[in-house]
């Protein structure tokens, strides 16, 4: 009888030690926070990785030094089509200070998409449809939907629907000014306009 009681006491003690040990290990494990991480596949065959840092800022695969403009659109969307020539012009004028990404909101056959992009002389990066990116960044907003990020990856402005090119350029220059680059961009803009005038 004494042996049985002693055996029970040992088993209970072992169980208690095991539980405390497991709890201690569990408390000591610190899991690194998982940051949002996406990959955009582009029509030119390249990929862009988008990662959100702990402070909520977005990084674009090391593409630093330029503002980021995300334009969510579909080739069948008439208001989206109306904005494309403006974005082509903006990409040309601000290419040293701005990176434009057109992001499709629906899957589109490659032949149809390529013909469409050529017809509009698209000169900025186009990303295939990605459900995660669409949900996180646009939250299925009505298109066209445009977001402007500053040099640090902070969302500065968002636009719903069609907006005049002048308004978008004003916001781009304002953001560049806040980032200390407006003067250089304005000088390049004036120089390009001057060359365009001479060519005409």
């Amino acid at each position: 009888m004494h042996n049985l009681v002693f055996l029970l006491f040992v088993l209970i003690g072992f169980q208690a030690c095991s539980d405390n040990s497991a709890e201690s290990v569990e408390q000591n494990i610190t899991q690194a926070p998982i940051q949002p991480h996406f990959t955009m596949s582009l029509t030119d065959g390249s990929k862009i990785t988008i990662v959100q840092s702990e402070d909520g800022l977005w990084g674009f695969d090391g593409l630093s030094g330029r503002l980021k403009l995300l334009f969510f659109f579909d080739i069948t969307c008439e208001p989206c089509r109306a904005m494309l020539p403006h974005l082509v012009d903006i990409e040309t004028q601000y290419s040293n200070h701005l990176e434009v990404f057109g992001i499709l909101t629906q899957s589109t056959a490659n032949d149809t998409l390529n013909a469409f992009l050529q017809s509009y002389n698209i000169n900025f990066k186009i990303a295939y449809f990605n459900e995660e990116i669409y949900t996180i960044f646009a939250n299925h907003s009505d298109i066209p939907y445009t977001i402007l990020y500053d040099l640090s990856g902070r969302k500065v402005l968002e636009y719903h629907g069609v907006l005049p090119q002048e308004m978008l350029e004003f916001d781009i220059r304002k953001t560049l000014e806040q980032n200390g680059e407006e003067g250089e961009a304005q000088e390049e803009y004036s120089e390009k306009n001057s060359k365009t005038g001479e060519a005409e």
Side-chain angles (χ1 to χ4, degrees):
M1 183 65 179
H2 290 291
N3 290 338
L4 180 59
V5 172
F6 177 77
L7 180 60
L8 289 173
F9 177 81
V10 171
L11 289 175
I12 292 172
F14 178 79
Q15 181 62 41
C17 291
S18 298
D19 290 344
N20 290 337
S21 176
E23 182 179 355
S24 175
V25 171
E26 184 177 349
Q27 290 175 350
N28 289 332
I29 294 177
T30 56
Q31 295 182 345
I34 299 176
Q35 303 301 327
H37 183 285
F38 309 99
T39 299
M40 288 198 306
S41 298
L42 307 181
T43 55
D44 63 5
S46 63
K47 296 181 183 294
I48 300 294
T49 301
I50 309 175
V51 181
Q52 188 178 42
S53 61
E54 294 182 5
D55 52 11
L57 303 178
W58 291 97
F60 293 79
D61 197 23
L63 299 177
S64 59
R66 283 188 283 182
L67 308 183
K68 305 296 184 296
L69 189 71
L70 306 187
F71 176 68
F72 292 86
F73 78 107
D74 180 62
I75 66 173
T76 62
C77 164
E78 289 299 331
C80 300
R81 290 174 181 239
M83 279 196 63
L84 289 175
H86 302 317
L87 294 176
V88 168
D89 191 29
I90 285 173
E91 169 69 20
T92 300
Q93 296 179 23
Y94 297 93
S95 58
N96 290 335
H97 304 274
L98 176 73
E99 186 94 42
V100 179
F101 294 96
I103 303 176
L104 291 164
T105 58
Q106 291 186 19
S107 297
T108 306
N110 284 338
D111 291 344
T112 302
L113 177 59
N114 290 334
F116 176 85
L117 299 180
Q118 289 178 9
S119 68
Y120 278 87
N121 297 315
I122 300 300
N123 59 351
F124 51 87
K125 292 177 170 55
I126 299 294
Y128 292 110
F129 171 68
N130 182 304
E131 179 69 30
E132 286 186 304
I133 292 176
Y134 187 25
T135 301
I136 293 295
F137 287 87
N139 196 24
H140 294 277
S141 297
D142 293 334
I143 55 174
Y145 176 64
T146 312
I147 314 175
L148 178 64
Y149 291 88
D150 67 9
L151 295 180
S152 67
R154 178 177 62 91
K155 182 166 73 173
V156 179
L157 292 165
E158 58 183 338
Y159 314 89
H160 296 268
V162 179
L163 68 153
Q165 180 174 339
E166 294 78 10
M167 179 186 297
L168 185 53
E169 286 194 50
F170 174 82
D171 289 335
I172 290 171
R173 289 197 297 268
K174 182 179 178 181
T175 304
L176 287 172
E177 182 179 7
Q178 293 171 348
N179 285 260
E181 295 195 6
E182 197 274 338
E184 181 183 350
Q186 184 62 40
E187 183 178 342
E188 292 177 1
Y189 171 72
S190 300
E191 184 179 348
K192 287 179 180 178
N193 279 350
S194 175
K195 290 181 179 179
T196 301
E198 293 175 0
E200 293 177 352

